[in-house]
Amino acid sequence: MRKKIVAGNWKMNNTLSEGVQLAKDVNKILTEKAPNCTVILGTPFIHLADVVRSVDNKLIKVSAENCADKEKGAYTGEVSAAMVKSTGAEYVILGHSERRAYYGETDAILKEKVDLALANNLKVIFCIGEVLEQREAGKQNEVVKAQVENALFHLSAEQFANIVLAYEPVWAIGTGKTATSAQAQEIHAFIRGVLAAKYGKQVADDTTILYGGSCKASNAKELFAQPDVDGGLIGGASLKAPDFYGIIEAFN
Ligand code: PEP
């Protein structure tokens, strides 16, 4: 059975003390109302170690939002997968559309990052998704297929067990415009088919595929009720504990 997951992506928000407080607030709510899914907090690098120490690891897992495409050495300002792992974080988000668009992260760079993350025993939340023009041209399926193939299909089936996919249509991220549950289901089922063709039905069935893009408490239940939508990657609505819990609660 694949995992149901609700993962927050704080992006570049929150000072250290604000982030720790937010993590403690989420932890407090989940201590009182146990989640029916895996809950992950994706935080900036500087928060990782403190957030790991501030939450109950049985209730909340912690993720970085990125890691370097190099192992170690003279790469000023970069943070390696080994460093992320050393904080106690268990996941890393890779391939987010903001990294692709603003920091030039190509499929080839992402492939390196994925390999280093897995080599350091991190699980990867790998983001894929089309921009508006591609959706309007009906090219969303070929776009996500290429993103998966180029960055992930060199992995063995055993390695692939450490990959969570997050389908995030770029036109829905931070825009308030959510994909309909039918649109999400259609492309999630397509992605699962792509995985089945490469790795077989079992691996495809075991892979968690999250939806991301203006997901909030009011639409999470309907999205998560789709058979191939296994939870969400949440940006804006992960920045306030009650809003984030409203999405986690969609699985209750
Ligand atoms: C994201 O950036 O991963 C995301 C889904 O953002 P938002 O929920 O704000 O659209």
Side-chain angles (χ1 to χ4, degrees), residues 9 11 96 98 168 172-175 212-215 233-237:
N9 173 16
K11 310 193 183 188
H96 192 280
E98 288 152 16
E168 301 205 298
I173 295 179
T175 59
S214 299
C215 184
L233 180 56
I234 317 298

Side-chain angles (χ1 to χ4, degrees), residues 66 113 164 177 214:
N66 184 26
K113 294 189 177 201
V164 171
K177 197 166 184 250
S214 299

Side-chain angles (χ1 to χ4, degrees), residues 54-82:
S54 304
V55 299
D56 177 349
N57 173 261
K58 287 188 285 307
L59 293 173
I60 296 176
K61 308 294 179 194
V62 180
S63 175
E65 299 173 11
N66 184 26
C67 72
D69 61 340
K70 304 284 190 299
E71 196 179 338
K72 65 189 293 193
Y75 301 101
T76 302
E78 288 294 295
V79 175
S80 72

Side-chain angles (χ1 to χ4, degrees), residues 17-106:
S17 60
E18 288 166 348
V20 168
Q21 189 57 54
L22 173 56
K24 285 182 179 169
D25 291 347
V26 175
N27 192 71
K28 183 166 187 294
I29 297 175
L30 297 183
T31 305
E32 288 156 10
K33 305 177 220 174
N36 263 340
C37 61
T38 299
V39 175
I40 302 172
L41 296 179
T43 85
F45 293 126
I46 64 136
H47 298 74
L48 291 173
D50 283 348
V51 167
V52 166
R53 279 192 289 267
S54 304
V55 299
D56 177 349
N57 173 261
K58 287 188 285 307
L59 293 173
I60 296 176
K61 308 294 179 194
V62 180
S63 175
E65 299 173 11
N66 184 26
C67 72
D69 61 340
K70 304 284 190 299
E71 196 179 338
K72 65 189 293 193
Y75 301 101
T76 302
E78 288 294 295
V79 175
S80 72
M83 292 172 185
V84 169
K85 181 70 183 179
S86 73
T87 67
E90 292 175 54
Y91 288 81
V92 58
I93 298 168
L94 293 176
H96 192 280
S97 63
E98 288 152 16
R99 300 291 322 167
R100 293 178 191 261
Y102 308 147
Y103 300 98
E105 295 198 1
T106 60

